Amino acid sequence: MENENKILIMLIGKTHSGKTTLANEIKSKIKDILIIETDPIATFMKKQFPVLRKNDDQEHSGASNNISLKFRIFTMFVEFALSFGNPIVLSNSNLWVKGRMIISDLCKKFKYKLIGVYFDLPEELLIERSQRANRPTNVLRISKDFKDLIINQRSRVQPPNSSEFEEFFTIKSEEDVRGVK
């Protein structure tokens, strides 16, 4: 079955919702899966392109219809990974509907099954998690800390619709994660 590995799992949600944790759990169960996220791209851009700040980041956040450099680089990585036929998990926020559609089109081009997992957790829980975590803030380009990022994401969230995916799951509590595995 050549196409059985051709799945792309798109994790969608605000920061500290559990996307990376779920991606790592999936990686422990699926051989040769690739995890792609934007944090390393953001860190690279912050260091190499310090003049690109707020405007560039807001370009792919739903605040604008344009595509940011960070998203272009991310899309290039995704397209390259799709060409190998390995299963893939996208473990970044994926909150921008136009970005999801771009990835969906790439999945169709490479004959991948697109699975969506939306982390729709209460903001209070995310803020609490962000305050307990020791995650480095060097990935942040606009927000001063992760609580600020969560608050900023309020206006940028474009919730997914199940029709965007071949399979779709919503996580509204920590218990729901078990149903996705």
Side-chain angles (χ1 to χ4, degrees):
M1 298 263 221
E2 183 179 317
N3 286 345
E4 74 180 26
N5 284 337
K6 293 181 101 176
I7 60 167
L8 186 143
I9 303 169
M10 181 183 291
L11 305 180
I12 306 150
K14 291 181 180 182
T15 190
H16 286 81
S17 60
K19 299 179 303 293
T20 301
T21 300
L22 181 58
N24 289 328
E25 288 186 36
I26 293 169
K27 184 175 182 159
S28 74
K29 296 176 188 330
I30 300 178
K31 183 183 177 199
D32 298 326
I33 196 161
L34 303 170
I35 297 177
I36 303 173
E37 59 181 323
T38 56
D39 283 358
I41 298 167
T43 302
F44 167 79
M45 288 181 60
K46 187 174 183 179
K47 181 177 179 186
Q48 300 299 324
F49 301 101
V51 295
L52 298 178
R53 287 281 189 211
K54 189 173 184 175
N55 291 341
D56 181 65
D57 278 355
Q58 287 180 338
E59 292 295 306
H60 83 282
S61 67
S64 169
N65 206 23
N66 297 324
I67 299 172
S68 71
L69 176 59
K70 181 170 88 173
F71 187 77
R72 289 172 196 262
I73 293 168
F74 170 72
T75 305
M76 182 181 65
F77 284 138
V78 171
E79 184 169 15
F80 185 72
L82 288 166
S83 72
F84 287 99
N86 292 65
I88 299 169
V89 175
L90 302 184
S91 180
N92 52 301
S93 66
N94 296 301
L95 296 172
W96 184 45
V97 69
K98 183 174 179 179
R100 293 194 303 267
M101 293 298 97
I102 290 168
I103 299 301
S104 177
D105 289 345
L106 286 172
C107 285
K108 290 173 187 163
K109 175 182 172 183
F110 288 93
K111 297 178 174 50
Y112 265 69
K113 179 179 183 176
L114 181 59
I115 300 169
V117 180
Y118 178 44
F119 291 79
D120 189 14
L121 298 171
E123 193 172 272
E124 302 79 41
L125 174 63
L126 303 181
I127 291 171
E128 177 188 318
R129 285 178 175 181
S130 74
Q131 292 171 338
R132 284 193 326 247
N134 291 324
R135 188 172 167 200
T137 57
N138 64 333
V139 300
L140 300 176
R141 292 169 42 90
I142 300 171
S143 303
K144 64 180 187 264
D145 57 32
F146 287 105
K147 179 181 178 183
D148 188 46
L149 176 59
I150 292 165
I151 292 166
N152 288 337
Q153 286 176 327
R154 278 182 198 153
S155 63
R156 299 188 307 217
V157 173
Q158 297 175 333
N161 185 307
S162 62
S163 65
E164 296 176 39
F165 306 93
E166 291 177 61
E167 289 186 40
F168 184 73
F169 303 89
T170 300
I171 296 174
K172 290 186 173 282
S173 71
E174 294 177 347
E175 293 78 39
D176 290 343
V177 175
R178 286 186 221 104
V180 175
K181 295 179 193 174

